[in-house]
Amino acid sequence: MNIQGLNKVTLLDFPGKVACTVFTGGCDFRCPFCHNSQLVLRPAASPTDTEAFFSFLKKRKGILDGVAVTGGEPLLQPDIAGFLARVKEMGFAVKIDTNGNHPEALAKLLEAGLCDFVAMDVKNSPGRYPETVGIPGFEISRVLRSIALLRSSDVDHEFRTTAVREFHDIDSFRGIASMIEGAPRYFVQNFVDSGAVLSSGLHGFDPGELEAFAAEVAPHVGSASVRGV
């Protein structure tokens, strides 16, 4: 595992759990608004020893409930299944964040029972996916397969979108709603410039606009709300 960082305790990253968050290096998307650009473009070759992480985790038994694995894109890691299996063997629940572009890897984790919760980014409506992920001509079929996998699984999951004024409008959320029809929950997150995003000059939305986006999706899912505002 290419572990780029560790947040030793979080009450936010894993719903209902006291968890730590593992950040992995590398991503196959180039979203202009990515706030973890250093993990996407310049991940260190071997920043954190995996055994050191498991030593840390052993000491947190009885304190932490789970481990959230994010990125970058965790499903790019060739040894992700073995890593998660060790986490589960130690008695911790697992949450995975993913961009949805790796349905084969996701299917293997779901079938092996290695995920207790999956959070998947749905970047935009189908027609605007290429510009939003920073890949001209991007083909969305793999993302749609990942959505279908989660919808047909018994693993708890959510979908979420980071709203950026330069990439999203109300039609974006109409398209997203049709993609995730019947999902248990959906969140709109506002773009905030962390100072380390891939592209400058991007902007978020006012709270009322975000609420309108969530309301557009709400009739199609179990619940839809704005997160972090």
Side-chain angles (χ1 to χ4, degrees):
M1 285 285 286
N2 187 321
I3 299 176
Q4 295 287 313
L6 173 66
N7 181 3
K8 293 183 177 181
V9 62
T10 176
L11 301 177
L12 301 176
D13 291 346
F14 195 151
K17 305 288 186 186
V18 179
C20 66
T21 304
V22 175
F23 296 86
T24 64
C27 186
D28 50 334
F29 284 177
R30 292 296 181 267
C31 305
F33 50 91
C34 179
H35 66 281
N36 281 340
S37 61
Q38 72 280 6
L39 300 181
V40 173
L41 299 179
R42 296 177 296 277
S46 54
T48 301
D49 180 70
T50 302
E51 295 307 317
F53 167 73
F54 282 109
S55 178
F56 155 81
L57 202 57
K58 183 177 181 180
K59 296 174 184 176
R60 293 306 189 274
K61 283 189 174 183
I63 300 173
L64 298 178
D65 304 314
V67 177
V69 186
T70 188
E73 171 50 50
L75 298 189
L76 283 174
Q77 300 294 321
D79 48 355
I80 185 69
F83 179 83
L84 297 185
R86 287 186 66 179
V87 172
K88 295 281 285 181
E89 287 167 3
M90 295 177 70
F92 295 95
V94 167
K95 178 202 173 206
I96 283 282
D97 291 346
T98 182
N99 63 22
N101 201 34
H102 305 277
E104 296 88 355
L106 178 60
K108 289 178 181 178
L109 297 184
L110 295 175
E111 290 166 5
L114 296 178
C115 298
D116 300 284
F117 194 98
V118 178
M120 178 178 158
D121 292 322
V122 179
K123 302 293 185 178
N124 212 326
S125 57
R128 299 196 70 176
Y129 238 85
E131 62 178 304
T132 310
V133 302
I135 303 174
F138 178 78
E139 218 293 308
I140 198 174
S141 61
R142 297 175 64 80
V143 170
L144 297 177
R145 284 170 57 196
S146 289
I147 293 172
L149 280 168
L150 290 174
R151 296 296 303 115
S152 64
S153 80
D154 58 1
V155 174
D156 201 7
H157 59 278
E158 69 180 39
F159 298 102
R160 61 197 186 185
T161 302
T162 298
V164 187
R165 189 170 294 277
E166 287 73 16
F167 295 101
H168 298 92
D169 55 24
I170 195 68
D171 286 336
S172 298
F173 293 89
R174 292 182 181 127
I176 290 168
S178 67
M179 293 165 66
I180 64 170
E181 186 78 39
R185 63 189 67 84
Y186 172 74
F187 295 96
V188 181
Q189 304 170 164
N190 203 19
F191 167 75
V192 177
D193 191 340
S194 65
V197 295
L198 290 183
S199 296
S200 60
L202 302 178
H203 304 85
F205 289 92
D206 296 331
E209 294 173 299
L210 298 171
E211 293 290 351
F213 295 153
E216 187 66 37
V217 180
H220 302 268
V221 297
S223 68
S225 58
V226 177
R227 174 180 278 161
V229 175

